[in-house]
Amino acid sequence: MNIEWYIVLSSLLFATGVLGILLRRSPMVILLCLELMLNAGNLALVAFSRMVGNEQGQVFAVIVMVIAACEVVVGLGLIVAIFRRRLPLNVDDLRELRG
Amino acid sequence: MEAVVFFVAAIGALGGAIGVIAMRNPFYSVLALIVHLFSLAALFLLLTSAFVAAAQVVVYAGAVMVLYVFVVAYVGGGGESAWEPIPGQRFLAPLLAIALFVELSIAVLGSALKALETDGPEVSAGFGDPAAIGRLLLEKFLLPFEASSILLLLAAVGAIVLAARRREAEGEAPSKHSPTRLEGASPSAPNA
Amino acid sequence: MSGTAWAWLVLLFPLLGSIAIALGYRTLPQKAAGMIGTAAIGLSFACGVAALLSLLGEDAEARHHASSLWDYASVAGLDIKLGIFLDPLSVFMVLVVTGVSTLIHLYSYGYMQSDEGYHRFFSFLNFFVFSMLLLVLAGNFVLLIVGWAFVGFASYALISFWYRRETATRAGMKAFVINVVGDIGLVLAAFLIFRELGSFDYGEVFEKAPQVFSVNEWSVTAICLLLLVGAFAKSAQLPLHTWLPDAMEGPTPVSSLIHAATMVTAGVYLIARTHVLFELAPTAADISAFVGLATLLVAATMALVMTDLKRAIAYSTMSQIGYMIMGVSIGAYSAGMFHLMTHAFFKALLFMAAGSIIAAMANDQNIDRMSGFGKAMRFTSITFVCGALALAAFPGTSGFFSKDEILAFAEARGGMYLIFTVLGYVGALMTAVYSFRLVFRVLPGKPCTEAQELIDTGHVAHEAPKNPATGEPEDTDVGFPGPEHHIAEQSAPMRVAMGVLAFGAIFAGLVQIPGVDDVVTKFLDPVWEGSPLAAIEPSLGEDYLGLGIGGVIALLGIGIAYVLYVARPELPRRVEQRLRPLHTLFVNKWYFDEAIDFLVVRPALAIGRFANRVFERFVVDGLVTGTEETVRGAGGIVSRVQNGFVRSYALLLIAGFAGLGLYFLLSSS
């Protein structure tokens, strides 16, 4: 399988993640879709690293994983805080930050 | 042989992804994501990135998803329909997602980068080994490595601060907001 | 001291007087203000005499000097100086203006004594004299226009002197607006002069004009016509005359000074001063002469039927100025100026006497109610008769010689100009009739109530103060006439002034008896040097013939008036009934006011209303409000993006990303 396949698969997964973000209302699921997108990016990075022949892309992917972990932590903390305050866990209802 | 593994892993990844976005219950979405992550790990292995695959399984599927499971169990949810587009944008979302995919594919498939059509150069046996990654992390990418550890610390502290129980705030919060509706909020009201 | 230095002093004193009285209006006692005002003009007159003497000490050809204090603007081909021009014509005007003004100030000293606005009156009066002197002494067209405009303002200020009277303020505005129309003509003429001749200075303009212009070229004709617009507005000739009768709303000294002797003669002075240009544009000069003739006749008809004493005299002024305009337009320059001088004397005198009579009538100006003042007020009646005799050109009076000189010149010029002579004599007949109509209506006969009161008690009648035209009640505080009325018999300054003028009215003609002496003509001749028209001189025979015809006509007119108003008092009413349409036409002032209202005022008001309703509302407001609403609308649309929906933000993000990707794809293919 040449590298093209991996990249195309990665973009398909990315598009799926985008679709999920636009379609779902629950912040939990939106965060999960965010993970989808991040992982798609990781896949692309590793594929390119294989194509180029050094491991720098993989190091990048590892760092991305770390970032994803941090973001998940903060996001879940937000969700717990929202839940604790008995606000609806619904991205359409949480819209007081507007201009 | 390689193609078979690729397709199985690809179908697993795609299935997991579709499961994430399509399942009604967020718990099932989490489980679908875990399947997706394992499939990706298999794909990483196909790309001779052993360390990344291992990290994916251990860190991502192991630690991060466990976090998700805990929170989903705590929060609950589900019972809502899967597809709830923003009013007035029913077709725009899928259209844009498909457009994005098509564009990226065209970019890749029509690319003049010849190396994309290969399998990659011949690599040594230690390609993708933890040793190689570790050496890069500690030599070339020391700064990002240290910075990301600080970021982890910050994230942890931030999460604790966000989710901490505040005794006074807890008491006031319920009276400020109604349980199911925010005051003065209606989804289609224009900005005044 | 040189002549021009005296001329600068002539200008200085009235200005200082005006400022001094204005600054001290609270502190100066009334008498002091009056004395300062009169003294200022008196000093000015003295300086004028000194300038005259200095001019007489020179040769006739050298009697023109220009002097400038200051370069006002000298840039890019424009050279305007604050400069005066001293020559026999300007000295003549200075003497007439300051002489008559001094006497009128003296008269006002007594007449306006009980008015609360005494200081304001004298300050404005002094300012008026200053402006008039500036006008006649100006050495270039710019300063002329400055003086012209100041005079218009002073006239407005003095007509609306009793500012709480609505009729007065309206009259002031009417006068000012019509004057401004004239100002426009004058300013445009000045522009054209500068364009064609490159200078505003009198000396240069009059030297270059014959070289640059050929006879009756359109540009010089245009200049002269525009100058005529200015002259007609200022001198109340048809059709810009409607302000003069209304200007009688001002106090009598104002009518006497401004609207008889000085301001209204500015037009005559203008034509005389620019005679070089008018001789190059004979068409314009002829138009001017015909307008003067028309005014002469129309005004005389109106004076025949007027029942308001001051307005009747105002129409008489219009008519006499018609004579002067006619005179200077056909080339009788010295004759026209001579008539200006004599007219100043007898018209000012007539107004002063009328003022005295009106005061005795407690400010009522209707001659239908006046009678028998001959017995009640001896001095006033004698001076009134003197003025009327001069106006009617009774043989031997000043008016006799001056008016007939103009008509004799017209006859000597011959050809078409005989019309002027013939119709001029018709006008003279009407003049005699209407002037003695006033005399015979007011003076003889059984005394009216006010006159009787004067005879019996020696006190002037007192009535509740009211507006003489509309009958509205007023009070006597500032802005309205004062409580007391002063008549000549009870006020020495008034008597002195009227006496001097009566002397001048009767005897001033003796300086220009044809065949005996011609002081004025000889003095003014150097000014018209080189003019072919001024060289025309009627022969002695023609002169005496003219005088004879004039004398006969004057006596005829007085006789007709005697018959109509003394011998057979029922006759006027029968004549009026026979000629009812004519009478209505005359009484309604030939419907000029109505015509101007229809042709000018209403369209202007309609344009204003249109501008307000349509243009303002739709175009201007539309633009402004439209811009505002567009901005607000656009802002509203844009702010809808920030609706708080996270997913719509994400959508926009993705949409942008997709768009960008598309762009890069396309640009790289």
Side-chain angles (χ1 to χ4, degrees):
Chain A
M1 310 306 316
N2 52 22
I3 306 294
E4 273 178 352
W5 288 90
Y6 290 95
I7 308 298
V8 169
L9 178 65
S10 152
S11 47
L12 188 58
L13 292 174
F14 186 82
T16 312
V18 165
L19 194 61
I21 284 186
L22 294 177
L23 287 184
R24 296 300 298 259
R25 268 196 321 198
S26 165
M28 279 293 313
V29 179
I30 288 180
L31 272 174
L32 288 173
C33 297
L34 226 62
E35 297 307 311
L36 271 183
M37 284 158 53
L38 277 166
N39 279 294
N42 267 358
L43 179 60
L45 274 169
V46 170
F48 277 124
S49 143
R50 180 69 183 83
M51 180 188 94
V52 167
N54 59 30
E55 293 107 340
Q56 289 184 11
Q58 295 173 25
V59 169
F60 202 149
V62 168
I63 306 285
V64 167
M65 270 191 235
V66 168
I67 308 287
C70 302
E71 166 245 321
V72 161
V73 156
V74 173
L76 290 177
L78 266 176
I79 289 177
V80 166
I82 289 172
F83 181 74
R84 281 249 188 80
R85 278 164 179 66
R86 314 250 168 80
L87 294 168
L89 265 185
N90 182 339
V91 140
D92 286 341
D93 289 335
L94 297 169
R95 43 199 268 278
E96 283 188 12
L97 266 182
R98 68 177 172 196
Chain B
M1 184 60 197
E2 190 196 329
V4 173
V5 176
F6 173 79
F7 276 110
V8 168
I11 288 167
L14 210 51
I18 291 173
V20 166
I21 71 174
M23 297 281 191
R24 234 179 267 175
N25 196 333
F27 193 71
Y28 294 152
S29 299
V30 171
L31 294 178
L33 189 64
I34 294 178
V35 168
H36 167 86
L37 290 172
F38 273 105
S39 313
L40 272 189
L43 285 172
F44 289 155
L45 277 177
L46 275 175
L47 288 169
T48 60
S49 314
F51 179 72
V52 182
Q56 176 92 332
V57 171
V58 169
V59 169
Y60 227 124
V64 175
M65 282 303 120
V66 167
L67 260 177
Y68 262 108
V69 166
F70 274 127
V71 174
V72 164
Y74 179 56
V75 165
E80 51 172 86
S81 64
W83 188 354
E84 282 287 341
I86 309 168
Q89 290 167 6
R90 277 189 82 85
F91 300 109
L92 211 51
L95 188 69
L96 278 178
I98 291 172
L100 206 58
F101 169 62
V102 166
E103 280 173 20
L104 286 171
S105 308
I106 293 175
V108 167
L109 294 172
S111 165
L113 209 55
K114 288 289 181 277
L116 273 174
E117 287 164 14
T118 66
D119 277 350
E122 281 296 320
V123 287
S124 59
F127 185 79
D129 269 358
I133 306 293
R135 196 171 302 121
L136 273 179
L137 273 178
L138 288 173
E139 286 174 3
K140 194 158 185 205
F141 298 113
L142 183 60
L143 193 56
F145 178 59
E146 299 296 336
S148 54
S149 46
I150 293 178
L151 185 63
L152 270 171
L153 179 65
L154 287 176
V157 170
I160 291 172
V161 165
L162 269 175
R165 269 184 206 276
R166 292 199 194 90
R167 301 270 162 80
E168 354 38 30
E170 280 281 305
E172 291 165 22
S175 63
K176 264 201 235 164
H177 304 281
S178 61
T180 50
R181 274 193 86 247
L182 286 175
E183 31 196 18
S186 77
S188 54
N191 190 14
Chain C
M1 273 222 291
S2 69
T4 47
W6 288 116
W8 285 112
L9 282 179
V10 163
L11 277 176
L12 183 67
F13 284 121
L15 183 63
L16 284 182
S18 171
I19 295 177
I21 299 173
L23 288 176
Y25 88 98
R26 252 200 277 254
T27 52
L28 279 177
Q30 211 182 44
K31 281 210 160 95
M35 285 201 278
I36 292 178
T38 318
I41 313 297
L43 281 172
S44 202
F45 178 70
C47 296
V49 170
L52 169 72
L53 290 175
S54 101
L55 265 193
L56 286 177
E58 302 168 347
D59 295 329
E61 293 78 42
R63 285 182 194 163
H64 50 91
H65 308 280
S67 150
S68 101
L69 268 188
W70 179 22
D71 264 350
Y72 178 61
S74 117
V75 58
L78 204 65
D79 189 20
I80 305 175
K81 296 186 172 45
L82 210 70
I84 58 173
F85 188 68
L86 189 69
D87 74 343
L89 180 62
S90 46
V91 163
F92 182 79
M93 289 294 296
V94 163
L95 288 173
V96 168
V97 169
T98 49
V100 176
S101 302
T102 317
L103 295 170
I104 292 176
H105 275 77
L106 201 54
Y107 177 86
S108 319
Y109 182 86
Y111 187 77
M112 299 292 289
Q113 222 170 24
S114 66
D115 196 299
E116 298 284 334
Y118 195 80
H119 296 78
R120 182 165 49 104
F121 186 77
F122 272 93
S123 178
F124 276 146
L125 215 59
N126 269 16
F127 180 73
F128 167 78
V129 176
F130 165 71
S131 335
M132 188 72 201
L133 292 172
L134 190 63
L135 198 160
V136 301
L137 279 174
N140 56 47
F141 280 96
V142 174
L143 213 55
L144 174 76
I145 293 173
V146 170
W148 199 269
F150 278 172
V151 166
F153 161 70
S155 163
Y156 160 78
L158 286 164
I159 294 174
S160 336
F161 180 71
W162 287 319
Y163 55 84
R164 287 166 63 204
R165 222 180 239 184
E166 204 186 311
T167 45
T169 49
R170 228 182 292 142
M173 285 196 282
K174 186 171 173 180
F176 195 70
V177 170
I178 297 183
N179 258 290
V180 165
V181 172
D183 284 356
I184 296 175
L186 195 59
V187 168
L188 286 175
F191 288 165
L192 276 180
I193 288 176
F194 183 70
R195 196 180 90 150
E196 302 293 329
L197 300 172
S199 166
F200 286 114
D201 190 67
Y202 282 166
E204 284 178 39
V205 167
F206 298 140
E207 227 179 270
K208 281 205 205 142
Q211 299 159 6
V212 172
F213 295 125
S214 54
V215 175
N216 255 342
E217 200 181 314
W218 78 266
S219 49
V220 70
T221 316
I223 292 176
C224 290
L225 286 173
L226 288 168
L227 284 173
L228 284 177
V229 170
F232 290 159
K234 195 65 84 181
S235 298
Q237 302 296 289
L238 261 49
L240 297 167
H241 67 282
T242 46
W243 63 274
L244 189 58
D246 287 10
M248 296 298 117
E249 291 280 340
T252 310
V254 168
S255 310
S256 151
L257 176 61
I258 301 186
H259 306 123
T262 43
M263 186 178 104
V264 291
T265 57
V268 181
Y269 167 76
L270 180 69
I271 300 180
R273 175 58 83 193
T274 53
H275 69 272
V276 173
L277 297 173
F278 277 94
E279 283 177 13
L280 288 168
T283 325
D286 288 340
I287 294 177
S288 169
F290 275 109
V291 170
L293 182 66
T295 311
L296 192 162
L297 293 169
V298 168
T301 58
M302 294 199 265
L304 274 175
V305 300
M306 270 296 133
T307 51
D308 183 318
L309 182 59
K310 277 176 73 173
R311 279 178 175 76
I313 305 180
Y315 283 115
S316 157
T317 306
M318 236 171 89
S319 177
Q320 295 301 304
I321 300 201
Y323 271 108
M324 294 178 222
I325 297 258
M326 190 177 83
V328 292
S329 305
I330 61 177
Y333 303 121
S334 306
M337 300 310 289
F338 180 48
H339 193 56
L340 193 155
M341 181 177 102
T342 59
H343 174 262
F345 291 151
F346 61 71
K347 196 47 66 65
L349 177 64
L350 273 174
F351 268 113
M352 286 182 181
S356 188
I357 295 176
I358 290 171
M361 290 283 295
N363 275 355
D364 187 4
Q365 296 175 206
N366 193 343
I367 59 175
D368 288 334
R369 294 199 49 224
M370 300 178 190
S371 67
F373 276 100
K375 277 194 219 117
M377 295 170 43
R378 287 255 158 221
F379 182 80
T380 307
S381 356
I382 293 177
T383 47
F384 195 70
V385 170
C386 286
L389 284 173
L391 177 57
F394 188 82
T397 55
S398 60
F400 174 63
F401 290 112
S402 60
K403 194 184 297 182
D404 289 306
E405 203 175 318
I406 298 179
L407 299 175
F409 183 93
E411 195 247 320
R413 201 160 158 199
M416 165 182 85
Y417 297 93
L418 280 174
I419 293 183
F420 293 116
T421 317
V422 171
L423 291 175
Y425 279 123
V426 170
L429 180 65
M430 286 200 280
T431 310
V433 173
Y434 71 63
S435 48
F436 272 86
R437 164 179 179 257
L438 293 175
V439 170
F440 290 138
R441 286 282 286 270
V442 173
L443 299 183
K446 184 164 138 6
C448 61
T449 9
E450 289 85 355
Q452 194 60 46
E453 191 177 329
L454 201 54
I455 297 175
D456 294 336
T457 62
H459 288 311
V460 176
H462 266 93
E463 287 173 13
K466 61 179 175 8
N467 185 329
T470 62
E472 267 177 66
E474 302 172 344
D475 56 64
T476 56
D477 210 352
V478 72
F480 280 131
E484 298 288 324
H485 310 296
H486 303 276
I487 58 175
E489 281 71 12
Q490 295 171 353
S491 167
M494 287 166 74
R495 282 204 299 273
V496 169
M498 288 163 79
V500 173
L501 282 177
F503 182 81
I506 301 292
F507 295 115
L510 298 176
V511 298
Q512 282 268 101
I513 306 178
V516 178
D517 55 8
D518 50 354
V519 174
V520 174
T521 315
K522 251 217 285 263
F523 181 62
L524 289 177
D525 258 344
V527 182
W528 338 112
E529 197 177 323
S531 153
L533 289 177
I536 301 177
E537 251 189 67
S539 70
L540 212 53
E542 283 170 337
D543 269 335
Y544 282 127
L545 180 65
L547 284 178
I549 298 178
V552 165
I553 286 183
L555 291 169
L556 186 64
I558 298 178
I560 294 176
Y562 183 82
V563 166
L564 281 177
Y565 297 105
V566 179
R568 306 247 197 100
E570 74 284 358
L571 210 47
R573 209 162 302 127
R574 281 194 5 218
V575 173
E576 180 192 319
Q577 270 164 353
R578 280 270 196 85
L579 302 170
R580 170 122 317 209
L582 263 186
H583 181 85
T584 321
L585 181 66
F586 296 160
V587 167
N588 282 316
K589 303 173 266 175
W590 289 63
Y591 296 109
F592 264 105
D593 273 316
E594 287 79 357
I596 288 182
D597 183 58
F598 183 72
L599 287 175
V600 176
V601 176
R602 270 185 221 201
L605 285 175
I607 291 177
R609 268 193 296 266
F610 172 76
N612 187 33
R613 265 193 232 134
V614 176
F615 195 72
E616 176 81 18
R617 188 173 300 173
F618 292 120
V619 177
V620 176
D621 267 358
L623 272 177
V624 172
T625 322
T627 314
E628 177 204 342
E629 271 169 24
T630 310
V631 170
R632 190 178 290 182
I637 292 175
V638 171
S639 73
R640 266 193 223 140
V641 172
Q642 294 201 310
N643 51 11
F645 288 119
V646 176
R647 286 194 289 167
S648 76
Y649 297 165
L651 189 81
L652 281 173
L653 241 162
I654 303 296
F657 192 41
L660 209 60
L662 190 66
Y663 167 73
F664 279 122
L665 274 183
L666 289 176
S667 72
S668 68
S669 64

